[in-house]
Amino acid sequence: DIQVTQYPSSLSASLGDRVTITCRASQNINDNVAWFQQKPGKAPKSLISAASSLQSGVPSRFSGSGSGTDFTLTISSLQPEDFATYYCQQYNRPPLTFGGGTKVEIK
Amino acid sequence: EVQLVESGGAVVQPGGSLRISCAASGFSFKDYAMHWVRQAPGKGLEWVSLISRDSSITYYKDSVKGRFTISRDNSKDSLYLQMNSLRTEDTAFYYCLREYYGQYHWGQGTLVTVSS
């Protein structure tokens, strides 16, 4: 199975900060990575597919990059509605696997 | 508007069975692969199973193989997860997902609690 390591597990940031979250896969997964945002008590929401393709309706301050084993999610300027938990997922082949999540909190 | 509505969550005793469902609307259900993902309270996301558009291919997480069965009825725009021999560690919110080349749409989830 492909392991996905996500870090940091939590971070504190201020409004307007640039935030970067990283995921590392245990083997080459090409660009088969998705990113999700989850707010407390709510279902996750899809942000990015294919490592860097923004889903419809997702603000342009979100971006994704990477290929192979190393991937990043960047929020260019943190907004109040961005405080949430973020997850990466590899879908290169089953079993699909998620990173452990990154909780983004207010500093 | 794409909608996925899960139902059937309940409190079940260890060793028991439960079938949860997902009703799809707002899109051509038969054209999409579908997944179940779960999340134990306060924990991270865990992929459970997927089924291809025509049900010819299914995959499962190792810990549910032989106990859970994913199925779909394209004539009813519905996805199912039959869960047998339930364990306390199966307690979670279960989400239904539509997938197209890594683009996902999530349902709101249904809570399955396995407890005596």
Side-chain angles (χ1 to χ4, degrees):
Chain A
D1 296 359
I2 299 171
Q3 309 303 315
V4 177
T5 303
Q6 183 175 345
Y7 54 91
S9 57
S10 66
L11 64 90
S12 295
S14 301
L15 294 177
D17 282 355
R18 181 181 182 90
V19 168
T20 298
I21 299 168
T22 299
C23 275
R24 175 164 289 167
S26 58
Q27 57 187 269
N28 181 11
I29 56 172
N30 302 298
D31 66 349
N32 295 316
V33 165
W35 290 92
F36 308 99
Q37 176 194 65
Q38 187 178 32
K39 297 182 179 179
K42 300 292 187 182
K45 169 189 169 183
S46 293
L47 297 176
I48 286 170
S49 64
S52 60
S53 295
L54 216 59
Q55 298 298 280
S56 175
V58 175
S60 59
R61 62 181 179 273
F62 290 92
S63 64
S65 65
S67 184
T69 60
D70 294 314
F71 302 87
T72 58
L73 172 71
T74 300
I75 310 172
S76 60
S77 177
L78 202 63
Q79 299 302 300
E81 59 268 30
D82 301 336
F83 292 96
T85 300
Y86 294 85
Y87 295 91
C88 60
Q89 181 217 46
Q90 72 80 18
Y91 55 89
N92 192 61
R93 67 166 175 267
L96 282 63
T97 42
F98 288 90
T102 298
K103 187 173 183 179
V104 177
E105 298 176 303
I106 301 172
K107 182 182 283 184
Chain B
E1 179 192 3
V2 173
Q3 282 205 314
L4 298 168
V5 180
E6 300 91 338
S7 63
V11 179
V12 185
Q13 291 192 335
S17 296
L18 189 68
R19 187 178 86 154
I20 57 176
S21 303
C22 171
S25 61
F27 66 100
S28 180
F29 180 72
K30 65 180 176 58
D31 291 334
Y32 291 84
M34 299 295 293
H35 299 251
W36 288 102
V37 168
R38 68 185 180 185
Q39 185 173 36
K43 302 298 184 181
L45 300 171
E46 184 177 61
W47 175 82
V48 174
S49 183
L50 80 86
I51 187 167
S52 62
R53 290 173 292 178
D54 63 358
S55 304
S56 61
I57 299 170
T58 59
Y59 289 102
Y60 297 92
K61 177 179 176 61
D62 279 351
S63 62
V64 309
K65 278 180 189 174
R67 301 189 299 123
F68 289 12
T69 302
I70 191 171
S71 63
R72 64 191 295 163
D73 186 338
N74 287 346
S75 69
K76 296 182 178 179
D77 293 345
S78 293
L79 176 72
Y80 308 101
L81 187 66
Q82 176 67 43
M83 301 182 288
N84 298 330
S85 303
L86 281 161
R87 305 169 180 168
T88 55
E89 56 263 36
D90 295 319
T91 293
F93 285 94
Y94 284 74
Y95 295 101
C96 160
L97 280 70
R98 181 192 84 168
E99 188 232 330
Y100 184 77
Y101 290 99
Q103 300 175 46
Y104 295 92
H105 187 93
W106 296 69
Q108 290 305 300
T110 189
L111 179 60
V112 174
T113 302
V114 184
S115 173
S116 55

